[in-house]
Amino acid sequence: MREVFGRSVEFRIDYASAQQNDEEDDEPVVKKRPLVLTPLNPILTFDNFVVGPNNMFAYSTCVEVAKNPGKYNPLFLYGGVGLGKTHLAQAIGHYLFRHQPDLRVIYLTSERFLNELVDSIKKGKVQDFRERFRARIDVLLLDDVQFLTGKTGIQTELFHTFNELYNLGKQIVICSDRDPSNLNSFQDRLISRFQMGVVAKIERPDEETSFKIAKKMVELEGGKLDEEVLHLVAKHFSDNLRRLRGSIIKLLMHQQISNERITVELARELLSISSIQSNFSISDKFVYLLCQEFKVTPDELFGSSRKKSILIARQVGIYVAKNYLGMSLRQIAELFKKSHPTVSHAIQKVEEEIKKKNSEILLKIERISKLLSARVSSQII
Ligand code: ADP
Ligand code: MG
């Protein structure tokens, strides 16, 4: 509340008593209850998952696994933080609870897996732990396996659990923030088992998918936000959908409390998205730095003037774009509004000057690249 209002406010929480009758009329009196070994987040279902080019393969594989547990074994899902791994793993759980309530499905984080083992050791009940995970489950959904990095004891335990389940044809799904071969200080025998089935990667969503996800999140929260606002947050937080959701919730909360329509400007302010930061791409910011450093204007830089100071700014800019920003020749040609040969020629020119140890050029390159790396790493260009 304080964050939204910028000051302390008084508030009251009202709630209805939870005595509603939760039996629905058309349901059978004796309902088969799924064996819920772990609570799942009700939102994280396949229905609520937006499919895009970034997660298509992972999504289809998960649906396939949910329909035919044991078919792709193990399924190893990986991708950056907040890109939907937990969502998909839990969606498999939901699907199975619903369609095959007899199956014993367990979802847990690797941290919990470790804690349960430690607990069982303390209580002298390791045998119970083993039986629980090796003999009494049909589907194991193990999240965030990277958490077990460097923890040898639990890795050994996981190895044996894995083998036992695998040999019985039980489905295993593992989530991780990196691919199996990048799980450093993991036992090789575990890594090779992780790679035995299907390895599916979730990438960062493109702008369109990210927008659809944002829209879905607003819908799930039962709120409403303008499309431009959704575009803003979708673009800004597409690298981590957890942050996307957090920012949406913050906006909706503000809207509800203050009764103020969220405009793009207000959203920027509330989420501290500076307009420079979100409106300009790295290359725009690069041009800005270049012009400042060489005291030229963008028009001069992109124009055809052969004036020495402008020519040098242009050539050094092209060189830095190639070697420090990793842009392709085509991208550089587009940015500088020049032909391909002109771009190649500029790079050659600067390379010659570097060979001749032209200190003026060398100094400029160093300054620009320093400014760039400082700004890029702190993302405030
Ligand atoms: P991870 O486990 O990969 O770190 P999560 O599964 O926790 O990421 O996802 C972060 C948030 O983004 C969750 O709220 C999740 O529901 C949401 N999310 C991720 N991908 C999608 C998607 N494709 N469609 C809808 N929501 C998504
Ligand atoms: Mg997760």
Side-chain angles (χ1 to χ4, degrees), residues 86 143-144 242:
T86 298
D143 208 345
D144 290 325
R242 201 168 307 153

Side-chain angles (χ1 to χ4, degrees), residues 44 48-50 55 80-87 213 217 241-242 245:
L44 306 180
N48 290 337
F49 192 81
V50 175
N55 57 30
V81 178
L83 295 185
K85 304 177 293 289
T86 298
H87 192 139
I213 293 173
M217 287 171 167
L241 303 168
R242 201 168 307 153
R245 180 153 187 272

Side-chain angles (χ1 to χ4, degrees), residues 98-262:
R98 193 153 158 211
H99 296 270
Q100 301 196 49
D102 290 333
L103 281 190
R104 294 160 303 179
V105 179
I106 189 162
Y107 164 89
L108 81 172
T109 62
S110 298
E111 186 176 7
R112 215 184 108 201
F113 187 62
L114 170 68
N115 288 341
E116 295 212 3
L117 175 67
V118 171
D119 238 36
S120 72
I121 294 172
K122 271 193 208 142
K123 292 181 186 147
K125 290 189 166 169
V126 182
Q127 217 37 53
D128 287 0
F129 173 88
R130 291 196 176 137
E131 193 169 314
R132 174 152 178 248
F133 286 104
R134 294 184 197 175
R136 276 195 267 131
I137 55 177
D138 298 309
V139 177
L140 172 65
L141 309 166
L142 186 64
D143 208 345
D144 290 325
V145 81
Q146 77 279 352
F147 181 81
L148 305 184
T149 298
K151 302 185 170 80
T152 321
I154 184 78
Q155 283 182 24
T156 301
E157 196 60 38
L158 178 59
F159 174 73
H160 294 297
T161 306
F162 186 103
N163 287 344
E164 198 113 342
L165 293 175
Y166 185 84
N167 292 335
L168 292 167
K170 311 287 190 189
Q171 177 71 50
I172 303 161
V173 178
I174 312 247
C175 302
S176 156
D177 69 354
R178 59 203 84 160
D179 80 276
S181 58
N182 281 326
L183 284 168
N184 301 325
S185 14
F186 250 76
Q187 299 174 4
D188 287 341
R189 55 183 188 169
L190 256 182
I191 292 179
S192 68
R193 269 162 188 75
F194 291 163
Q195 293 167 324
M196 258 169 10
V198 175
V199 176
K201 182 179 185 188
I202 308 185
E203 311 255 3
R204 178 184 165 158
D206 58 26
E207 246 178 270
E208 196 191 327
T209 308
S210 178
F211 173 76
K212 286 187 194 152
I213 293 173
K215 217 167 164 174
K216 187 80 193 174
M217 287 171 167
V218 172
E219 182 196 310
L220 288 172
E221 294 300 321
K224 229 176 143 32
L225 287 174
D226 287 352
E227 295 227 327
E228 303 92 82
V229 173
L230 289 183
H231 276 297
L232 173 78
V233 289
K235 186 170 172 195
H236 199 78
F237 297 105
S238 66
D239 57 343
N240 183 339
L241 303 168
R242 201 168 307 153
R243 288 182 64 210
L244 177 66
R245 180 153 187 272
S247 69
I248 285 173
I249 288 175
K250 186 167 179 182
L251 296 180
L252 289 173
M253 212 171 117
H254 182 92
Q255 194 168 46
Q256 202 172 25
I257 293 169
S258 68
N259 241 333
E260 191 178 5
R261 204 177 120 250
I262 305 282

